[in-house]
Amino acid sequence: MKSGSGSTESTAIIVSRDPTGNTERRQFEDALLDALRQGAVRTVVVPHVYALRPGDAVLDRLADLAAAPSRWIVAAWLYPRATRWVLGNLGLATVEAIEAVDCREFDFPEACAERLLASAGASGTTASPGEVEEIAVATSPRWYPVLDYERCVDCRQCLDFCLFGVYALADDGRVRAVQPDNCKPGCPACARVCPAEAIMFPEYAGSTAIAGGPPDEAPATGALPTPECLAGDAGDELDALMDALDELDEA
Ligand code: SF4
Ligand code: SF4
C-alpha cells in the first residue's frame, strides 16, 4: 500500500459511510473522496463505524492500521466525540490518536476534504496523490451504548440499572458493554441515569447530548419518553425501573 510522506507517514484518513442510503450524502462522500485523492494521505473508506461488529473483516484492516504508529483523522456522520469513542470502545485505537469530524458540519465536500487534509498535515494539491482504499462489507443497524471513559467515574449505576445484561465489570474494574446487542433499540435510558453523561447513543435523535454532541438547548422535563427497553414483558422489574426513572426526573 502506498503511504504518505513526511509528517503524514503514519496518519490515515478514515471515511465512515452514511448508513441510510441518502443520495445527497452519497454524493457528498464521492466528491469528498475525489478531493482526498489529491492529497498525500492514505484514505480508508469503511461502512458506518457504529454498525461495525467484532469479527467484521474491516476491523482487522483497521487494527492493522492502528498497529503502526498511527493517527487517524475520521470523517463520519456522527458527532466527533461519539465517533472517537465508538472506535475506542471497539478497541481499535486509543481515542487520543483519533481526531474526528462530523460531515454534517460542512456545506461542501471540498471544505470537509480541506479540513481532513489540514488535520493530517497534508496539502490538497500534491504531486503524489493519496491512495483510497474502500473496505465494503455488509452491515446491519445496531443500537448499543458507547461509553466515554474520559468522563466515566466508575459509579456502576449503569451496571445496576440495566436489566438486560448489557454491562459487566471488566478485569480492570471498569464497566464495559459486554453484550451490546442485548440493548433494546431506541432505548437511551441508562444514558439518563449516568451522572457523568458518559454514555452515548450516537444515533439517538431525541437529545444532542446523548448522541455525543453539545448540551441540549431545552433539557427534557416532566414525563419521561417511553423508551422501548422499558416496554415488554419483564414485569415487576420493569415497573421498578420506571419508578426509578420517574424519581430521577423529579429530582
Ligand atoms: S453510570 Fe456512567 S459514570 Fe457510572 S459507571 Fe456507568 S458510564 Fe461510568
Ligand atoms: S439503554 Fe436500556 S437496554 Fe440498553 S444498556 Fe441502557 S438500560 Fe440497558
Side-chain angles (χ1 to χ4, degrees):
M1 173 182 202
K2 184 189 302 178
S3 63
S5 60
S7 63
T8 65
E9 190 170 1
S10 61
T11 300
I13 292 173
I14 312 289
V15 176
S16 168
R17 290 280 191 192
D18 168 64
T20 66
N22 179 288
T23 302
E24 285 185 6
R25 289 189 173 187
R26 187 70 184 200
Q27 290 171 344
F28 182 104
E29 291 166 357
D30 290 346
L32 172 64
L33 295 175
D34 283 346
L36 289 174
R37 284 189 181 90
Q38 305 310 309
V41 183
R42 60 185 164 176
T43 297
V44 180
V45 187
V46 298
H48 184 46
V49 289
Y50 185 56
L52 299 178
R53 296 171 188 273
D56 281 345
V58 63
L59 296 190
D60 291 339
R61 178 71 189 100
L62 289 175
D64 286 346
L65 273 182
S70 187
R71 197 165 67 91
W72 292 358
I73 316 295
V74 185
W77 300 92
L78 297 172
Y79 289 114
R81 187 167 74 94
T83 298
R84 293 173 68 232
W85 281 106
V86 164
L87 293 166
N89 281 203
L90 284 168
L92 290 170
T94 61
V95 291
E96 293 79 10
I98 302 170
E99 179 180 339
V101 302
D102 183 347
C103 294
R104 297 170 298 184
E105 290 180 7
F106 297 91
D107 291 332
F108 301 102
E110 294 77 12
C112 184
E114 191 174 332
R115 164 68 192 284
L116 294 170
L117 290 169
S119 291
S123 156
T125 54
T126 174
S128 55
E131 177 178 330
V132 174
E133 170 192 4
E134 175 137 22
I135 309 172
V137 297
T139 59
S140 54
R142 298 186 76 194
W143 180 270
Y144 62 94
V146 175
L147 272 63
D148 177 341
Y149 289 102
E150 286 174 345
R151 292 191 179 186
C152 175
V153 294
D154 298 320
C155 69
R156 303 182 182 177
Q157 289 192 44
C158 53
L159 177 66
D160 294 338
F161 182 81
C162 181
L163 301 176
F164 300 97
V166 171
Y167 296 111
L169 281 184
D171 291 344
D172 63 2
R174 306 209 77 176
V175 173
R176 310 276 177 202
V178 293
Q179 299 199 74
D181 293 315
N182 279 8
C183 188
K184 303 303 169 188
C187 173
C190 54
R192 301 188 60 190
V193 170
C194 174
E197 298 184 347
I199 300 175
M200 290 173 276
F201 288 87
E203 295 182 336
Y204 183 55
S207 160
T208 54
I210 289 176
D216 296 314
E217 288 183 7
T221 57
L224 283 162
T226 50
E228 291 181 24
C229 77
L230 301 183
D233 56 4
D236 292 345
E237 280 187 303
L238 288 178
D239 289 342
L241 187 59
M242 199 57 154
D243 289 345
L245 279 169
D246 285 340
E247 286 172 16
L248 194 73
D249 243 25
E250 289 164 5

